[in-house]
């Protein structure tokens, strides 16, 4: 047989084999889709999820505020939001896909998808919590704070769970703004009197999320007040003057710093997620399992 004919036959046979293989792959892929159940109203779904501020999990600047993954929650290298806290246990989120689903955004995210899919969904700020919150501005220099004030005992416990108090016994502690203080539980154990004891001229670390650090520099200490400047190192800018929020202790309350401009900063008071778009990465684990 002519060598050219043999070559043509061999090449043709190889091409046919490739076409058949590709056809089988496409057929298998299509068959697997047909075997899957597309999620519709009435289905019971189990999902894992990670909710973040600023961007989707895995993207630049994403800060986790909630997750069902224990590995993410306990990974110190993963940037967390200011209000993030580790849960006692972790498991999938299970819910019925119907009109009564309280997590509307999850319901809408999974409908039309299949087990094994990973879905991204963004909740716009106006679609989230409608609670109103206070906003305002503060100077970076010349801030004044009372050095003695009472707080509810349960509030102090939430702020300083490591501090063990006994009624009428002053206990040394480090305030969340970094400087030393004394806390005294009332006789009826309902109130804690906090006294701040910073040293004039010293700077105290008030915030550190491994990216941004904030120091309070004490410029004066009076009989009842503390005067201090706020020094913010390496803020993460998002757009214009807006930054990744910094939760700062301002004495009787905490505020979230949202923007920096010249010699002042903008803040909001309430919850960190108020007025923010929320980003969810949702993994559909099972359907009607």
């Amino acid at each position: 047989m002519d060598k050219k004919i043999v070559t043509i036959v061999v090449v043709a046979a190889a091409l046919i084999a490739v076409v058949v293989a590709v056809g089988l792959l496409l057929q298998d892929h299509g068959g697997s889709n047909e075997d899957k159940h597309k999620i519709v109203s009435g289905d019971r779904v189990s999902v894992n999820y990670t909710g973040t501020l600023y961007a989707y999990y895995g993207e630049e600047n994403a800060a986790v505020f909630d997750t069902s993954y224990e590995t993410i929650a306990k990974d110190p290298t993963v940037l967390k939001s200011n209000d993030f806290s580790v849960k006692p246990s972790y498991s999938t989120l299970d819910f019925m896909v119907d009109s009564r689903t309280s997590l509307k955004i999850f319901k809408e995210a999974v409908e039309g998808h299949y087990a094994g899919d990973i879905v991204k969904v963004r909740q716009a700020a106006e679609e989230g919590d409608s609670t109103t919150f206070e906003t305002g501005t503060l100077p970076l220099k010349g801030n004044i704070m009372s050095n003695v004030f009472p707080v509810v005992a349960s509030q102090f416990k939430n702020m300083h769970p490591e501090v063990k108090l006994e009624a009428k016994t002053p206990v040394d502690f480090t305030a969340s703004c970094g400087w030393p203080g004394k806390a005294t539980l009332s006789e009826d154990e309902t109130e804690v009197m906090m006294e701040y004891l910073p040293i004039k001229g010293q700077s105290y670390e008030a915030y550190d999320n491994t990216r941004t650090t904030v120091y309070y520099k004490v410029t004066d200490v009076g009989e009842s007040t503390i005067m201090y400047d706020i020094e913010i190192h390496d803020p993460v800018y998002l757009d214009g003057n807006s930054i990744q929020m910094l939760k700062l202790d301002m004495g009787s309350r905490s505020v979230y710093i949202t923007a920096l401009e010249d010699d002042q900063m903008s803040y909001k008071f309430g919850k960190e997620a108020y007025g923010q778009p929320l980003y969810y990465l949702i993994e559909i684990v099972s359907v009607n399992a």
Side-chain angles (χ1 to χ4, degrees), residues 17-36:
V18 170
V19 170
V20 170
V22 171
L24 289 173
L25 285 172
L26 292 174
Q27 185 178 9
D28 289 344
H29 182 69
S32 64
N33 269 345
E34 291 174 2
D35 293 341
K36 287 184 177 181

Side-chain angles (χ1 to χ4, degrees), residues 9 12 21 32 40 50 80 131 154 176 203 213 215 228 239 250 273:
V9 171
S32 64
V40 296
T50 299
K80 309 298 196 305
T131 305
S154 58
S176 52
S203 292
T213 310
Y215 294 91
Y228 60 102
D239 180 23
M250 305 300 290

Side-chain angles (χ1 to χ4, degrees), residues 53-54 82-83 125 131-138 243 245-248 250 253-259 265-278:
L53 300 172
Y54 315 119
N82 294 287
D83 289 346
T131 305
T132 58
F133 51 92
E134 174 191 340
T135 61
T137 59
L138 290 166
I243 62 170
M245 285 179 283
L246 312 174
K247 188 176 184 179
L248 299 185
M250 305 300 290
R253 66 176 183 173
S254 294
V255 299
Y256 299 93
I257 306 305
T258 59
M265 50 191 177
S266 299
Y267 73 85
K268 72 176 183 181
F269 174 71
K271 289 187 177 180
E272 187 175 16
Y274 286 171
Q276 293 291 310
L278 306 179

Side-chain angles (χ1 to χ4, degrees), residues 143-174:
N143 288 282
I144 299 175
M145 184 188 302
S146 174
N147 61 4
V148 178
F149 53 88
V151 297
V152 176
S154 58
Q155 181 184 351
F156 181 88
K157 184 177 180 180
N158 289 334
M159 294 167 58
H160 303 282
E162 76 287 356
V163 180
K164 307 303 179 185
L165 298 177
E166 294 184 12
K168 302 175 66 176
T169 304
V171 175
D172 294 332
F173 77 107
T174 300

